[in-house]
Amino acid sequence: MTNSRRGPLLLVLFAALTAGAGNGITLVAFPWLVLQRNGSAFEASIVAMAGTLPLLVATLIAGAAVDYLGRRRVSMISDALSALSVAAVPVLALTFGTEVVNVAVLSVLAALGAFFDPAGMTARETMLPEAAVRAGWTLDRANSVYEAVFNLAYIVGPGIGGLLIATLGGVDTMWVTAFLFGLSIVAIAGLQLEGAGVPDRDALPDRVLAGIIEGLRFVWHHKVLRTLAIVDLVATGLYMPMESVLFPKYFTDRNEPAQLGWVLMALSVGGLVGALGYAVLVNHMSRRATMLTAVLTLGAAMTVIAFLPPLPWILALSAVVGLVYGPIAPIYNYVMQTRAPQHLRGRVVGVMGSLAYAAGPLGLIVAGPLADTAGLPATFLALALPMLLLGVVAIFLPALRELDHPPAQPQ
């Protein structure tokens, strides 16, 4: 009986692990494929931006798709399309030669993957409340474990990615990514859960665009959701270039793919521990204090990394960043899941996710050319100092005090 009650939650967690690991591999493989051609951080930032820019629109559409088409169906379709987008890399290389896998092609494929991935992530996240109830878990515990699994995926993914690139090469590494998306599809195909099937269309606007606007209005008029979205937008724009361009540039120049994987793994190991610890931490520390600590620590760590210390220091700082930032995603999930009505949950998650990605392309556009001209230390500092300022400003935002208020509606 216990296994039957936990079965749906375990399937959601397994799907998050395998799909996340696939995305973790591409986090290493796409920049590496570009940088090994000519070492240009600018071109790497173009591919990274191509993998980010569609997220703004795609996540909005993903939220509506989840509410209108159903969570289980959207998760499977999304993973299937993501698998095709990464499998296209080795297929094109085998058919036309590796020369065809250039910056333009990689940008298109990265954009396609970015367009498809959010739907699967949104669908799995919106299934958590019902899966937690079925398993007899609190929502805080379910979100804590879910985000820990997601971080575990980004430990396994980049680590495997770095090793596979060193042994098989960047192109053939994409076969593994497609296989992992396939495992996620199999897991969700066997899922039976309340609210995961065909939704009740009577609770939804007839037009999808009207439904998306309804989600946007809900977030905008909800003070704590609006504030969290803005803070996350700025933090993502400042942090993303470090992971997507600056670290790959630094380790590519040194011809150290495995070390790049280690750094990304250190970020995820810290995030894994931080996310797992959230279920305990929430009983001893306020959500607001946890969030402020994360943003300020991230700014301080990025400032030290700007001086490019030895690898052990970079690994330690990356682990600290992951540790303090690990509880943030569970906090965001909890707020979205407890503030949004059931029929709006997908669109609220989609709106929050799309706003988080909105500043990413701008940060990548600035970081790539700046790294090529001013160097990596100056670019790290240009991102770290505003992050510190964001943490200071967040201290004085009254809406963040609502993170520790009970939700106005039942979970």
Side-chain angles (χ1 to χ4, degrees):
M1 177 65 70
T2 300
N3 290 336
S4 175
R5 291 174 57 197
R6 294 180 181 175
L9 180 60
L10 293 177
L11 288 173
V12 172
L13 294 175
F14 179 79
L17 175 64
T18 52
N23 284 323
I25 293 176
T26 64
L27 195 65
V28 177
F30 270 118
W32 194 268
L33 286 169
V34 177
L35 289 165
Q36 72 176 359
R37 296 175 67 93
N38 53 25
S40 170
F42 175 68
E43 291 191 355
S45 69
I46 291 176
V47 174
M49 185 177 63
T52 305
L53 188 59
L55 294 173
L56 174 59
V57 176
T59 314
L60 278 175
I61 297 174
V66 168
D67 284 343
Y68 279 79
L69 299 178
R71 298 162 187 170
R72 180 171 171 269
R73 180 188 300 172
V74 169
S75 178
M76 296 171 63
I77 293 172
S78 169
D79 287 335
L81 295 174
S82 294
L84 290 174
S85 70
V86 294
V89 174
V91 168
L92 288 172
L94 286 172
T95 305
F96 302 104
T98 55
E99 300 81 11
V100 77
V101 187
N102 53 33
V103 174
V105 169
L106 291 172
S107 296
V108 170
L109 294 177
L112 288 174
F115 193 82
F116 300 139
D117 289 338
M121 292 186 286
T122 301
R124 289 185 286 272
E125 188 175 315
T126 55
M127 288 189 278
L128 278 178
E130 287 78 15
V133 170
R134 174 81 72 86
W137 288 21
T138 66
L139 191 51
D140 274 323
R141 183 185 180 191
N143 281 314
S144 175
V145 174
Y146 177 84
E147 294 300 333
V149 166
F150 196 75
N151 278 282
L152 178 61
Y154 279 84
I155 296 170
V156 175
I160 292 176
L163 293 174
L164 289 177
I165 289 171
T167 55
L168 301 178
V171 171
D172 287 336
T173 294
M174 293 301 189
W175 288 120
V176 179
T177 310
F179 174 73
L180 290 170
F181 282 120
L183 290 179
S184 178
I185 295 170
V186 172
I188 297 300
L191 178 68
Q192 298 295 326
L193 183 67
E194 299 83 356
V198 179
D200 179 10
R201 292 298 296 269
D202 293 336
L204 300 169
D206 291 333
R207 299 176 62 185
V208 175
L209 179 58
I212 293 175
I213 293 173
E214 183 183 8
L216 284 165
R217 285 176 176 167
F218 184 88
V219 170
W220 182 253
H221 292 295
H222 201 293
K223 185 166 61 174
V224 66
L225 288 174
R226 182 177 68 239
T227 302
L228 285 177
I230 293 172
V231 170
D232 202 24
L233 181 150
V234 177
T236 301
L238 294 172
Y239 171 77
M240 189 173 293
M242 180 180 76
E243 187 175 283
S244 299
V245 175
L246 302 186
F247 276 145
K249 168 67 174 172
Y250 177 65
F251 289 105
T252 302
D253 288 347
R254 298 163 64 92
N255 194 29
E256 295 175 344
Q259 283 79 347
L260 172 60
W262 295 346
V263 169
L264 298 179
M265 286 173 64
L267 286 165
S268 295
V269 168
L272 170 64
V273 176
L276 276 177
Y278 168 71
V280 176
L281 182 66
V282 73
N283 297 318
H284 304 283
M285 188 174 180
S286 72
R287 294 184 178 94
R288 175 177 176 269
T290 301
M291 183 171 177
L292 294 176
T293 300
V295 179
L296 289 167
T297 303
L298 179 56
M302 288 172 64
T303 302
V304 177
I305 291 173
F307 296 96
L308 298 178
L311 180 62
W313 279 96
I314 294 178
L315 291 173
L317 290 166
S318 298
V320 168
V321 166
L323 179 67
V324 298
Y325 228 78
I328 298 304
I331 290 174
Y332 273 57
N333 291 350
Y334 174 85
V335 173
M336 290 185 290
Q337 292 159 355
T338 57
R339 267 64 174 185
Q342 201 271 354
H343 71 280
L344 257 176
R345 193 186 302 159
R347 280 166 287 164
V348 168
V349 172
V351 168
M352 294 289 285
S354 66
L355 292 176
Y357 291 122
L362 180 60
L364 292 167
I365 289 173
V366 172
L370 187 60
D372 284 336
T373 56
L376 289 174
T379 307
F380 270 114
L381 277 177
L383 300 173
L385 297 180
M387 185 72 77
L388 283 172
L389 179 60
L390 174 65
V392 173
V393 171
I395 295 173
F396 302 98
L397 296 176
L400 294 184
R401 300 185 186 278
E402 293 187 22
L403 291 175
D404 299 293
H405 295 172
Q409 65 174 59
Q411 298 180 24

